[in-house]
Each structure stands twice: as C-alpha cells, then as structure tokens.
Amino acid sequence: MTPRNLPPGWTRFRHGDFVCTVVSDGLLEMGPARDNFPSADQAELDGLLTANYLPVDNVRLNQNLLIVDTADKTVLFDTGVGINAEFGRATFGPGTGRAIPNMRAAGIDPGDIDIVALTHGHPDHCWGLVDDDDNKLYPNAELVISASEFAYWTDLSRADAAPEGLGKDQFRGAHKNLMAYRDRLRLLDDGDEVVSGITAIATPGHSPGHLVYRIASGGEAMICWGDLCHHQVLLLKRPQWRFVFDDDPTAATRQRIRIYDLVDTGRLGVFAYHFPFPGLGHLVRDGDGYSWVPAELELADPR
Ligand SMILES: [Zn+2]
C-alpha cells in the first residue's frame, strides 16, 4: 500500500541566534525555458538545462517563504500568490496558495507574524496578504516594503495603461493587497533596518524598488534575495541573461553580479525564493559565473 498523504511543505533551521522556518506556497509551472529566458543563446540554454538533469519544456519555480524568529519579533519574507479567488490560485494554478496551511503545519499561526517584509510587489510575492474580502491574512503584522516599490504598484493609472490580463491584474492585485496594510506600513530605503540584525539592500532592476535583505545573527549572515535570481543554474552561470519578468534587464544583471560578489566575498549564506525547496545554500565560483551548493539540513529541532 502506498500512503497518499503529502510530505510536509516546511522545514526549520538555526541561523545564529535566530530560528528560521521555510514554508512553501507551492510550485509555479512557467512553461518552456526559451520563453522565460528570451535573450539566452538557445542552444546553450537547452544544453545547460540538459546537463543539469532539468527539462527544457517547463521551468518550475518554487515559492519558498522565510520566517525568521529573532526571539523579539517574527518576520515573514514574502507571501506567495495567496488564496484570493480572482488573483491567486485562479491565475497560478491549484498547486499554489499553500503558504498558510504549511505555516500552520509548522506550528506558526498567521497571527504570530509581527512583520511581513516584501522583496517586491510582483504577484507571487505580495498577493498572499489578503483574502477575497480584503481581510488581512496576517492581522497583527506591520508591512515593510521599499518606498519606490510601494509607490509604483499602488499607482492605478499604471493599470489603465497596462495590457489586458496579467498586465492590468499585476497592478490591481498589488493595490488590493498592499493598501489593506496602509494603517501599519513602513517604507524602507537602502540600508534601513527592519529589526535588529535585518537590513534592506536596494537592488532595483527586476522591479523598480526591489530589495534584498541581509539577515545577520551570532556571527552568521545570509542574503534573502527574492527575485534577484530565479534559477539555480541558468542565472548563476549566466547573470547577463534576461528573465522574462525583469523590468530593467540591464539593471537586473548589474544587481545580480553585485550581490553574487558580495555573497561570494563575504562567504554569506543565500536564501533563494524560487530555488528548489527550501532554497538555502551557498555560491561557489564556476568559470565566469557560480554554482549552487544546497545547504545540509538538520533533522533535529534547532531550538
Ligand atoms: Zn518571484
């Protein structure tokens, strides 16, 4: 008999004095690699995927949500596509919108989250903030996001000018989710501290106000990098390739190269939103780019 229950969509690790939990919001099935990386040399793209035992006809992106318990505050980084009927699973498929059940399975109630820190305002990062009726899914949380990102995504005149479908929905969905937290909103600039040990680094490119976060405790540091890099092989080996949703491809590449160097030079850890679950690992220099080395996970409770 084969059991039919699913494996848990969460794991836990220690980072200095911080206890970190990763929960999955499910998988994004992105279709052919050529559509996702349109500037890539196509033969090289297919070759890199095949050499790494990955299909060329479907790029699969994880959605790894990081929850950091600093003992003083509990901080959630990004929210997944969410459960909203119009903007969440309806757009991204029934395999998504898993964040809250997985969080509960990990023993964390959404009411325990003190701060939701967003890397940026794209659907797979901010659409999980509210339910169908605009109720906050994290009722006790302050929302933090970069000032420029908030201004960009809550400007509904951009929705009017955007193409039908996801073009308009990106703005309408972001507005719906972000504005629900306007009574508890903190807008960040480069270098601002979220809580002691967690600092925002401005990395505009993938989106106008994209942030990555440096998370440091007890002599350990890692970069929670959101959509700085979407793929554990392609954009580490070829940071100059455009990902289809990069807003400013030249700036996105410049930020990738800058942050990879910061991580490599400082021997920092990486928490990667879209990499294979749980998205925790290190970079190792490999030719002109880098290779991904997943971190070993402990099976014991890290607390
Ligand atoms: Zn993303």
Side-chain angles (χ1 to χ4, degrees):
M1 185 284 307
T2 304
R4 297 179 62 90
N5 54 324
L6 292 167
W10 66 276
T11 189
R12 185 162 285 142
F13 63 96
R14 182 172 273 282
H15 177 69
D17 298 325
F18 295 169
V19 176
C20 301
T21 304
V22 186
V23 301
S24 174
D25 191 51
L27 297 167
L28 300 173
E29 310 285 358
M30 302 295 289
R34 291 164 182 236
D35 297 343
N36 284 276
F37 301 94
S39 75
D41 177 277
Q42 298 300 320
E44 192 185 6
L45 177 74
D46 289 356
L48 272 174
L49 288 167
T50 304
N52 284 278
Y53 298 91
L54 291 167
V56 300
D57 59 348
N58 184 37
V59 172
R60 172 174 268 190
L61 300 182
N62 278 256
Q63 298 180 93
N64 303 316
L65 281 53
L66 177 65
I67 300 168
V68 177
D69 178 356
T70 71
D72 185 37
K73 296 285 184 191
T74 301
V75 186
L76 166 67
F77 294 88
D78 294 329
T79 68
V81 302
I83 57 169
N84 183 264
E86 188 180 1
F87 290 117
R89 270 181 248 177
T91 304
F92 293 97
T96 61
R98 303 295 305 156
I100 287 180
N102 284 333
M103 200 175 292
R104 290 192 196 280
I108 299 171
D109 187 272
D112 297 338
I113 304 295
D114 299 305
I115 296 171
V116 177
L118 297 180
T119 56
H120 65 302
H122 278 166
D124 51 322
H125 298 259
C126 87
W127 282 11
L129 283 166
V130 300
D131 68 10
D132 283 340
D133 301 317
D134 292 349
N135 298 308
K136 293 177 180 180
L137 293 174
Y138 302 99
N140 301 315
E142 175 189 33
L143 181 69
V144 304
I145 181 172
S146 89
S148 52
E149 191 76 0
F150 185 83
Y152 182 82
W153 290 108
T154 53
D155 177 358
L156 284 180
S157 71
R158 292 183 191 276
D160 297 338
E164 288 297 329
L166 190 57
K168 287 192 191 304
D169 282 353
Q170 282 196 86
F171 290 97
R172 292 169 51 222
H175 185 273
K176 174 184 175 71
N177 279 275
L178 299 175
M179 292 306 278
Y181 288 77
R182 63 187 176 280
D183 61 325
R184 290 199 65 197
L185 177 69
R186 186 155 46 110
L187 299 177
L188 301 180
D189 284 316
D190 185 41
D192 284 351
E193 199 171 68
V194 177
V195 294
S196 180
I198 302 179
T199 311
I201 303 173
T203 47
H206 174 66
S207 69
H210 189 276
L211 297 175
V212 304
Y213 294 94
R214 184 178 192 278
I215 303 172
S217 174
E220 289 189 61
M222 65 177 165
I223 299 291
C224 169
W225 75 19
D227 280 10
L228 181 87
C229 171
H230 289 78
H231 199 278
Q232 70 275 18
V233 175
L234 302 175
L235 293 180
L236 290 182
K237 292 284 280 182
R238 297 285 179 266
Q240 71 276 21
W241 283 355
R242 175 182 172 230
F243 177 64
V244 68
F245 293 113
D246 286 342
D247 177 66
D248 178 341
T250 307
T253 287
R254 191 164 59 238
Q255 297 297 351
R256 278 195 278 275
I257 291 169
R258 177 170 84 99
I259 299 298
Y260 295 170
D261 183 61
L262 180 104
V263 164
D264 180 38
T265 307
R267 289 182 65 80
L268 307 184
V270 172
F271 181 79
Y273 190 80
H274 286 304
F275 282 21
F277 182 82
L280 184 68
H282 292 90
L283 301 187
V284 174
R285 271 223 158 267
D286 180 7
D288 295 335
Y290 292 90
S291 288
W292 178 243
V293 181
E296 201 171 338
L297 290 176
E298 303 295 334
L299 294 178
D301 189 328
R303 286 168 293 187

